[in-house]
Amino acid sequence: MSRFFRQAGDSDSDSEESDDESMSSGDDAPTQRPAASAAKPAMSRFLRTAGSDSSSSDSDESEDSDSDSDDDARPAKRTGLPLRSDSEDEDSEEDTKAGVRIMSAQERRLADMESTGKAIDNALKINDWVAISNEFDKLVRMIQRQHNVSEPVPPFYIKALISLESSLNAAIAKEKESKKKMNATNAKALTAMKQKVKKGMKEYEQDISKYNADPETFERDYAALTTREAPPTAAARPAVRGGDADGEIIDDFTTVGKGGKTMQFTSESIFKNLQAVQEARGKKNTDRAEQIRILEKLLEVAATTYQRLRVLLALISSRFDYNSSVATHMPIELWLSAQREVDQLLSIVASNSAYSVQEITEDYDEMVERVPSTEKDGVVRIRGSIISFVDRLDDEFTKSLQNIDPHGPEYVDRLKDEKVLYYTICRAEAFYEKTNQEEPLGRVIMRRLEHIYSKPDPVVQALEASIDTSDIKPKMNLLQDTTSLLIHQLCVYLYGAGNSLLRTRAMLSHIYHHALHNDFHTARDMLLMSHLQESIHSADVATQILYNRTVVQLGLCAFRCGLIKEAQSTLQDIFTTQRVKELLAQGVHQQRFQVLTPEQEKAEKQRQLPFHMHINTELLEAAFLVSSMLVEIPLLASIDSEELKRKAISKPFRRLLDFADRQVFTGPPESTRDHIMQASKALQDGEWERCRDLIQSIKIWSLMPESASVKEMLAKRIQEQGLRTFLFTYSAHYTTLSLSLLARTFSLPLRTVTSIVSKMIWTEELSASLDQSGGVVVLHRVEVSRAQQLALVITDKVNAMVEQNEKTLDIKMGGSGGWGDRADGAKGEKRGEQTQERRGRGERTRGGTRGTTRGGRGGRFAQGLGNRMQTG
């Protein structure tokens, strides 16, 4: 019967659908209906009598073939049944009325697999491996959906793998013997299929072996599983709908997962559920949140220590796998849960020595419960890595700080979690000390050291206080020792750990800590004796960044201690590169006409340090420029020749000073640079008091520890360098100078003035003699002829040539090309500078050439930092 004409017993919904379809055929061809149908009262589409169902059986049977062939493609043409969701269509007794049987989701999947298998068989007959590859991919995706709903692998798929393997072997053998080769596309598909089938055979190796042993038993077991795990009936469905969104029933109902499968979490089935979760891990369509929920429930029902350890290892890994993107950080709630679970894992293995978690173990059956009594030496060894969890926790914590705005309250709140992370690291250290595992112990001690080496003592004491309440305490702690002694103990252990990378990073952290506590000479000697400056260019980028931070902190330490020349020489090389932020991993230096690729930009952002670890670059620049001022201004006053004046010690400072000299109008100082440049001009003019006031008015000094003592030190150094500048400038205009007058002019004690003048005479910076009885300085003049001046210029050029040849020879012999002995180099540099000053005043000196040569040969702390940094 036509679908447009129904019998009198049809429901009102059918008549309404027929009206709609007849109207859609056109206004010019109206469809006539029987009068009985028009006179029948309206009936609800969901409430049908037996008569209406029986009267519509013909139309339902006529459409049964359509629904069998394409059940999901044309849902609107089921005129006999109301539309409903797939979950309602599965195994519903209401859907089998009037003799119609609707296939369940499981049966439809099996039917689709068989259809795909027929397509593969047809393609095998014509040797079409491209079609076989495409159809096999469909089959694999169907099996993946089986895994997602936790259904067993059907025997059909196992038989298909075995059959495909034999067909592949036959096709490959035939191809080798055949004279006419197949086309390139088909051959490529054949090779791809070989790899796919090989992967499938390996993945389902156990199922294949069971099937080959007894195919009938394998199929019976599958049938029993599918029968036992059948979805609930229609009577139970209203109860399922009354549960939560995940299918969990609140009122003593069974938990139902995807596809209506009953999910039972008991200690007996815990290994089976764990295996299902592990097999789905990392696959494309896996619901990671659902996996975490399943593992949390498994942890609740775990009855034995072995089960708890197995579930905890899987659960922590699943939490770390939740965020697959490398660029973004873990959600904070997820991180806190992982941290608590790592603590729980450490507590279990530390309190029960019969269970051990190790990276390398013997093979064991993961589906069987293990107890210490059945093991060889009474220790159950479980495959896992606690140190990897600790490393990942630390890395994710750093990554979250990198992605949070440092100027908001969220950053401070997140920074508070460092205490619980430090607590976990110390517990892991205590565990590895107890079990004598040296390799992971070195790694975890390095993690602990990285959290405290750059922090002041009160912060370190607050972190260490969290260990007091712990039941697991490491041997090295702050209970009886000071912070410096604790860091010394940690570093000494890493020096003998045998890992060169850990040893290098421990040495740099130790030097940084000494510099942070103003112990300059110890830090400098450790850096020179370690010879790290010779090999740091071959280290990884993170270690180079730590080296740069250590050198910079050493320069700040020298500045705080009043060692101006040491501070200037230490900080000079990093400021010469004009890439301070990039070298310290505190920002990206964007050069002109240079555009970073997305990969380079991502790599730069990932290596940036969290904001609380930054060294203030403005404070660093202030210390460097003030040090350069106190070194350069007296030197400029001592040189008369314009050619020698162009040879600057600090090129960045000299460039700023030349720019300030070219300014026609100079207003009140605003920035730190303005203060220092105007102070430099005042020092050149002999106005040391104005120079002192300008330097002390810089606000950035308040960020330096003990800022009052730093300002006092700067005032004293400005007085001393002002006196030296005065003597260099006016020595050519006076025959004698009164020591008492100099003391009153620069507000210095007479003893200090006498000491400075005597030192200048001793080092031959000043051509004069000291008359103690008269209290005066007698100045001498020595005129240099033109021939002597030219001889000195030639000497400089020869020295430069010798220095370049020595560097070239050093590089060819396998050296670093210019890394000399720092102690001799520093002395030689000093003599070379003094020789340059004397040469400008026309003095004849002894040892000047030797001093210049040794000074050029001496290496600096951070030579070539910009060239060695491989940031790309």
Side-chain angles (χ1 to χ4, degrees), residues 427-451:
R427 286 167 65 88
E429 178 186 344
F431 167 70
Y432 286 122
E433 286 175 350
K434 182 179 178 181
T435 55
N436 295 322
Q437 301 183 42
E438 295 183 358
E439 194 272 336
L441 179 59
R443 289 168 59 184
V444 77
I445 288 179
M446 190 68 239
R447 292 283 178 175
R448 182 183 181 187
L449 181 62
E450 287 175 348
H451 279 275

Side-chain angles (χ1 to χ4, degrees), residues 262-309:
T262 302
M263 302 178 67
Q264 297 178 352
F265 300 110
T266 61
S267 60
E268 291 77 12
S269 63
I270 198 168
F271 297 123
K272 177 184 175 182
N273 293 323
L274 270 178
Q275 185 182 23
V277 171
Q278 292 292 343
E279 289 177 352
R281 181 184 176 189
K283 295 185 178 179
K284 185 176 181 181
N285 297 323
T286 303
D287 187 353
R288 296 185 177 90
E290 180 66 24
Q291 279 196 318
I292 292 174
R293 284 194 292 269
I294 292 173
L295 290 171
E296 287 174 345
K297 294 174 183 176
L298 291 178
L299 183 61
E300 294 175 1
V301 301
T304 63
T305 303
Y306 179 71
Q307 290 178 356
R308 285 197 296 272
L309 289 175

Side-chain angles (χ1 to χ4, degrees), residues 2 40 48 111 119 133 153 156 167 206 244 251 362 442 495 544 710 751 787 832 867:
S2 171
K40 187 172 180 63
R48 297 179 181 174
S133 178
V153 180
F156 170 79
S167 300
Q206 295 181 355
D244 59 3
D251 299 330
E362 297 180 356
Y495 295 156
Q544 291 187 38
V710 171
R751 185 173 181 178
N867 296 330

